[in-house]
Amino acid sequence: MTLNLTLIAAAQRWTLLRRSMDFRVGGQEVLEGRFHESGTVTLFEARYHAIEPARRLVYTYDLHHSGRFHSVTLSSLQLESEAGGTGVSYTEQIVFLNGKDGTSDRHHGTEIQFDMIEANLRSCGAKQ
């Protein structure tokens, strides 16, 4: 298995504190962790609104940074069959509650997560 060293380094900068997932319509997910360098604790609390296997996922989530309510997000993930694979479309509508525009940070974090998913799929033999 070959993983991008940048992704491994990113994962090593964070420690999992709490994790639960009830993946069903109405179910909730909680993910809490601490970044080593800054000490920032992130808390992700989600609720699933629509789950259509192999097609669509719609969920909302609250994000807290070190106990401060940071943002509320509506997310949708669409999957579509394409020649030789699957097309993915991901959309977020975000309200930042701290008065700052965190769009670039969110974009960066989401890119890291999708890169990690891609690396994992490739390690299992998935093709591009």
Side-chain angles (χ1 to χ4, degrees):
M1 175 168 79
T2 303
L3 290 177
N4 182 316
L5 294 178
T6 303
L7 299 178
I8 292 171
Q12 291 174 340
R13 292 190 306 255
W14 185 81
T15 298
L16 177 65
L17 301 175
R18 180 170 45 139
R19 176 83 163 131
S20 65
M21 182 180 239
D22 180 10
F23 189 67
R24 63 182 173 85
V25 172
Q28 296 181 335
E29 178 180 1
V30 175
L31 177 63
E32 185 175 24
R34 176 180 291 112
F35 285 94
H36 299 171
E37 189 174 310
S38 68
T40 299
V41 174
T42 59
L43 174 60
F44 168 90
E45 297 176 304
R47 178 176 302 277
Y48 295 100
H49 298 279
I51 301 172
E52 299 173 26
R55 189 166 162 248
R56 182 170 70 160
L57 174 64
V58 178
Y59 60 101
T60 55
Y61 67 91
D62 295 344
L63 187 60
H64 300 259
H65 288 171
S66 295
R68 293 189 178 137
F69 197 3
H70 176 70
S71 60
V72 177
T73 304
L74 169 63
S75 296
S76 65
L77 176 76
Q78 300 266 125
L79 304 173
E80 294 184 21
S81 293
E82 293 182 352
T86 302
V88 177
S89 174
Y90 181 71
T91 304
E92 286 191 337
Q93 181 177 357
I94 310 164
V95 177
F96 293 101
L97 302 171
N98 62 358
K100 299 177 184 175
D101 182 359
T103 305
S104 65
D105 288 340
R106 181 68 58 90
H107 187 265
H108 176 71
T110 302
E111 278 185 335
I112 289 172
Q113 291 173 4
F114 274 99
D115 287 347
M116 292 176 85
I117 292 168
E118 181 181 7
N120 192 21
L121 290 170
R122 286 187 187 285
S123 74
C124 296
K127 299 176 183 176
Q128 186 171 3

